Amino acid sequence: MSEILVLVEARLRTALGEPDARAAITFLGTDRIEVLRFIDAEAGLVRYATLGMSAQPMTDPTSALADPVKGPRAELLLTVRAGRADTDQVLRPLAVLAATPQVEGVVVAPGASLDVGDPLWPGAPFSSVLVGESGGLVEDLVLDAPLDPVRFLPLLPMTSNEAAWKRVHGAQALEERWLAEGTDLRDPQRRSVRLD
């Protein structure tokens, strides 16, 4: 388990540079989850990455027994524009989302919606996120067989209207709407996209 996390952190550092801050949170009955913050001053971005979610494989909730080796592994990534909101308050909600597979026995995969029930940071118009496809900012980390690779899944904040619309029309339709409207998904104060 710890060996996997060492490799995961090395992959994050290779892709994003040195973290300038980190916080650790442990929930009752779960492994420790860390959230690392990376500043990209040149691009004006702040990136947050979980570390610890991939220590155990995610298990299909319909499975009778959890396989301690096989199963999908992932960490979560969130990117926002710097200086527009107090986004550092997202550390705890991110840790909550990263602990979801252990706590609720769900498999976090692209296209899924995750909701924390409260704003992601003070004044945020988002309490939920859409899980995006891996392989963009941070390449998947291939582990020795029979272990599944660790996927680094981007989180795209959704307003409550967008989350409700996504439940009806699906993740791809929402992503197409964002694209058509030129939505800046990194803006921590953006408004909901037009959904009419």
Side-chain angles (χ1 to χ4, degrees), residues 130-154:
L130 175 65
V131 180
E133 292 284 345
S134 68
L137 188 62
V138 182
E139 288 183 32
D140 295 348
L141 174 63
V142 177
L143 302 173
D144 292 338
L147 302 178
D148 285 25
V150 176
R151 305 198 184 283
F152 298 89
L153 303 172

Side-chain angles (χ1 to χ4, degrees), residues 2-196:
S2 61
E3 296 84 3
I4 291 173
L5 296 185
V6 168
L7 295 172
V8 168
E9 183 167 355
R11 175 58 53 94
L12 288 169
R13 286 171 185 266
T14 299
L16 306 176
E18 287 299 310
D20 80 317
R22 65 195 308 148
I25 299 175
T26 305
F27 302 101
L28 188 63
T30 68
D31 294 328
R32 170 181 153 129
I33 302 286
E34 288 189 83
V35 180
L36 283 59
R37 182 180 72 185
F38 300 85
I39 304 287
D40 184 342
E42 193 173 306
L45 299 174
V46 182
R47 303 185 197 280
Y48 302 93
T50 63
L51 179 63
M53 181 177 171
S54 61
Q56 304 292 334
M58 293 182 276
T59 304
D60 185 328
T62 61
S63 298
L65 292 172
D67 190 320
V69 177
K70 290 187 177 181
R73 295 174 189 266
E75 296 291 354
L76 306 176
L77 300 170
L78 174 69
T79 302
V80 294
R81 299 214 175 275
R84 298 189 184 175
D86 185 13
T87 56
D88 280 351
Q89 299 298 315
V90 79
L91 300 180
R92 184 171 179 77
L94 273 181
V96 168
L97 295 177
T100 302
Q102 289 183 59
V103 175
E104 298 181 18
V106 299
V107 175
V108 176
S113 299
L114 302 173
D115 196 317
V116 294
D118 290 308
L120 293 175
W121 51 82
F126 323 104
S127 64
S128 62
V129 294
L130 175 65
V131 180
E133 292 284 345
S134 68
L137 188 62
V138 182
E139 288 183 32
D140 295 348
L141 174 63
V142 177
L143 302 173
D144 292 338
L147 302 178
D148 285 25
V150 176
R151 305 198 184 283
F152 298 89
L153 303 172
L155 300 180
L156 310 172
M158 294 188 290
T159 65
S160 56
N161 286 346
E162 290 168 341
W165 197 84
K166 182 255 178 191
R167 281 193 292 276
V168 174
H169 299 280
Q172 184 175 349
L174 178 59
E175 291 186 63
E176 288 170 0
R177 182 62 57 101
W178 281 336
L179 191 60
E181 296 288 326
T183 307
D184 181 2
L185 297 174
R186 295 172 174 174
D187 183 350
Q189 297 178 319
R190 73 171 181 83
R191 297 181 186 272
S192 183
V193 72
R194 266 190 321 117
L195 298 170
D196 49 11

